[in-house]
Amino acid sequence: MRILAIGECMAEMAPTGAPSTYQMGFAGDTFNTAWYLAQLTPETPLSYFTAVGDDAISSRMLGAMRESGVNTQQVRIVPNSSVGLYLITLNNGERSFTYWRGQSAARLLAQDKQALAYAMMQSDLIYFSGITLAILNPEGRAALLDVARSARRAGKRIAFDPNLRPHLWDSPSEMTENIMQAAAVSDIALPSFEDEARWFSDKDPAATLQRYARAGAETIVVKNGAETVLYRTGGAEGSVHVPPLASVVDTTAAGDSFNAGILAGLATDTPLPDSIALACKLAGHVVQGKGALVPINQSLRDSCLQP
């Protein structure tokens, strides 16, 4: 199965522990998922579709992607541009984020609709998020959804994580409207109940599941932190218990890594409940480390069931 992830990868400046000293890395929601997927199933052809600039930091980002096992042939280079950046600040162990996205070339990723369509048609499974939509202008969002709709009609599978981030949108109504438009072109929806309850007024995870089913998604997995995961696939519904953790160090990329477990299961024809169990195990490992990209041990790799 050829997988294509679409979105924004950013330069990350994280504190090292020494006063006023930071270390640069690269992360972003759909890229985080691609990174974990590349570690779990390195034999799966995996590409990332975004846009970067033609400067030194963009080149360094592309090198980091390739080193992680993510194919960059579908990445667009935008002349005289660069990538977005965010800074992590720690205060008594709590992380806060400051973003600089205005110059990010990724905001133009859907500008070349033909290139986007070509990338999707070269793939079997396409994954994007609400953040992917949020960074685009209205024309870019329309182009992305139109190409995804055509790819789905052509037999491609579309996976979507709503990843609700209201600060990236002009209004909550603009966000919720666009999220449901994306859900309508998706085969697989991966919402998080806490966010959905706040912005869609879902009373419980079952309400979230049913709303995405009505939108047209055939497979829905409702994440709910440390609580039970609900799912629906092929008309059948069920739940998977989330194993308790003794400690949580950093929840960054918990949902992104969970999604990687689901996509890894799809890539290896693993039954959905087993894929969810793997996703829970991976997310549990990630939240006990620091940062968005936490190295995976061999036992987790061995958890990926082969067809």
Side-chain angles (χ1 to χ4, degrees):
M1 178 182 287
R2 300 166 298 173
I3 299 179
L4 176 73
I6 304 172
E8 179 184 32
C9 185
M10 304 180 72
E12 174 193 82
M13 301 302 295
T16 63
S20 302
T21 304
Y22 290 80
Q23 178 176 333
M24 188 176 72
F26 300 102
D29 70 327
T30 57
F31 175 72
N32 298 343
T33 296
W35 188 90
Y36 282 109
L37 184 57
Q39 313 314 304
L40 283 174
T41 58
E43 72 282 0
T44 298
L46 172 63
S47 297
Y48 198 64
F49 188 95
T50 190
V52 300
D54 56 357
D55 58 353
I57 194 170
S58 296
S59 178
R60 186 169 172 180
M61 175 183 286
L62 289 175
M65 288 183 180
R66 287 190 288 265
E67 287 175 10
S68 71
V70 177
N71 189 301
T72 62
Q73 290 184 348
Q74 305 291 359
V75 175
R76 293 183 56 228
I77 308 296
V78 179
N80 303 313
S81 188
S82 188
V83 298
L85 179 145
Y86 67 94
L87 178 79
I88 300 173
T89 303
L90 290 176
N91 183 16
N92 296 324
E94 293 294 323
R95 295 159 61 97
S96 61
F97 301 84
T98 305
Y99 292 89
W100 292 268
R101 265 191 169 110
Q103 81 285 8
S104 175
R107 297 166 67 93
L108 305 176
L109 67 83
Q111 191 175 57
D112 188 338
K113 192 173 179 180
Q114 186 175 358
L116 184 59
Y118 177 81
M120 288 197 189
M121 294 307 293
Q122 296 303 305
S123 308
D124 303 303
L125 175 65
I126 296 130
Y127 169 69
F128 69 104
S129 75
I131 293 178
T132 308
L133 288 176
I135 66 170
L136 305 177
N137 62 23
E139 293 75 21
R141 293 172 201 148
L144 174 59
L145 294 182
D146 184 51
V147 173
R149 190 178 298 109
S150 297
R152 190 184 189 192
R153 286 197 295 263
K156 312 300 181 180
R157 298 185 75 185
I158 311 295
F160 174 63
D161 181 348
N163 222 346
L164 301 169
R165 296 294 183 269
H167 65 278
L168 294 177
W169 299 89
D170 289 337
S171 68
S173 61
E174 180 189 48
M175 176 179 70
T176 54
E177 179 181 348
N178 277 275
I179 291 300
M180 294 316 295
Q181 288 178 3
V185 305
S186 301
D187 300 281
I188 302 152
L190 303 167
S192 297
F193 172 65
E194 182 179 4
D195 293 338
E196 303 288 328
R198 181 177 182 184
W199 298 106
F200 287 96
S201 300
D202 294 343
K203 64 178 182 179
D204 54 34
T208 299
L209 187 149
Q210 294 301 328
R211 178 164 49 80
Y212 282 96
R214 289 193 300 271
E218 298 173 359
T219 297
I220 306 111
V221 179
V222 183
K223 294 164 283 188
N224 193 16
E227 303 300 318
T228 297
V229 176
L230 294 187
Y231 69 87
R232 174 188 175 96
T233 188
E237 298 181 8
S239 62
V240 175
H241 174 69
V242 178
L245 296 175
S247 64
V248 173
V249 174
D250 185 348
T251 59
T252 303
D256 304 334
S257 57
F258 181 97
N259 293 348
I262 300 298
L263 298 185
L266 291 170
T268 55
D269 288 330
T270 302
L272 185 58
D274 294 335
S275 297
I276 294 172
L278 166 64
C280 290
K281 185 183 298 184
L282 177 58
H285 169 78
V286 168
V287 301
Q288 293 178 80
K290 290 184 178 181
L293 306 179
V294 178
I296 298 174
N297 55 38
Q298 189 60 45
S299 64
L300 271 174
R301 291 190 184 92
D302 293 341
S303 296
C304 291
L305 303 180
Q306 299 302 313

